[in-house]
Amino acid sequence: MKNTPERIPVLALWSAPRCRSTAFARMMTERNDHLVVHEPFSQVVDFGEAKVGDRVVHTEQDVLDALRALAAERPVFFKDTMDFHYPALLADRAFLRAATHTFIVRHPSEAIASHFALNPNLGRDEIGFAWLYEVFDAVRSATGTTPIVIDSDDLLDRPEDTVRAYCAAVGIPFVPEALSWQPGMRPEWQATGRWHQSTSRTGGFGRRTAGDGAAVVDANPVLRGYRDYHLPYYERLRGAALRP
């Protein structure tokens, strides 16, 4: 008899920085059917600790253990960003198999320009698309299936269709009421609040007036090099995106 792989009610959303993952997580909070955990892996690397449910954790392995423990009590959603590398995650093939790992992307020119505006000293690797693809490929290898990817442009242009397709793909109900929410800074965003100012002003998915990210990147030879490095990884991920 063939063994059925362990499954746990953990739904993950992985993102390069500045790809609108916080807005997606805000929608998941509005659903009120998952415990939402905000960037536990990156906060452990950046600050030396993170809060996962009621636990304060200090290492990647602590994060993995805490997520498993929480999932024994109720469904968990977490989102995290790939401005860091997570070797313990990549080594934990059981967690890669057991949780449902999904991904969100944005064109690197737009993501880099948004990132650069907040962090003019950013380095190539922390832009994150190469590390994002590494997790995507690790999940695909561990599960034997292609993970779910959404394009954040689809999320802004066709939010209902995109979220409906995502929910169907990961096996959760579509909750149309969760597509809108009260603007405001969430308590879990406080440690990294300056990165979430734009999302805190929103009440749903939609396009806002913004500068031309492609022009910003094109005018800067360092940023152009970053874009050219990350673009192939983005294109591979975008090729797997849902078509709502």
Side-chain angles (χ1 to χ4, degrees), residues 102-115:
T102 65
F103 299 79
I104 187 169
V105 295
R106 181 184 188 184
H107 193 281
S109 289
E110 297 297 330
I112 290 168
S114 179
H115 199 157

Side-chain angles (χ1 to χ4, degrees), residues 30-47:
E30 200 68 17
R31 291 173 59 94
N32 203 34
D33 60 352
H34 288 68
L35 176 63
V36 175
V37 179
H38 178 73
E39 300 182 356
F41 289 92
S42 58
Q43 290 201 10
V44 157
V45 177
D46 208 11
F47 303 115

Side-chain angles (χ1 to χ4, degrees), residues 128 181 226 241:
W181 52 81
Y226 292 170

Side-chain angles (χ1 to χ4, degrees), residues 2 6 11 27 44 54 56 58 78 87 98 132 175 180 183 185 221:
K2 187 175 181 181
E6 175 200 10
L11 177 58
M27 182 268 295
V44 157
D54 293 330
V56 176
H58 297 92
F78 77 88
L132 184 66
V175 181
S180 60
M185 182 64 69

Side-chain angles (χ1 to χ4, degrees), residues 47-141:
F47 303 115
E49 65 178 37
K51 192 169 183 185
V52 181
D54 293 330
R55 296 174 61 176
V56 176
V57 298
H58 297 92
T59 68
E60 267 190 82
Q61 190 58 56
D62 289 346
V63 173
L64 291 162
D65 294 343
L67 289 170
R68 284 183 166 101
L70 282 177
E73 302 171 3
R74 61 175 295 185
V76 176
F77 171 88
F78 77 88
K79 79 96 168 180
D80 224 315
T81 55
M82 298 303 306
D83 34 352
F84 301 106
H85 195 239
Y86 306 125
L89 168 72
L90 293 166
D92 194 336
R93 287 180 63 86
F95 186 78
L96 295 176
R97 285 192 302 270
T100 300
H101 298 271
T102 65
F103 299 79
I104 187 169
V105 295
R106 181 184 188 184
H107 193 281
S109 289
E110 297 297 330
I112 290 168
S114 179
H115 199 157
F116 182 70
L118 286 164
N119 177 19
N121 298 315
L122 84 163
R124 185 196 71 178
D125 291 342
E126 66 192 293
I127 289 163
F129 288 94
W131 284 335
L132 184 66
Y133 184 78
E134 185 179 28
V135 175
F136 174 89
D137 198 44
V139 171
R140 182 169 55 185
S141 174

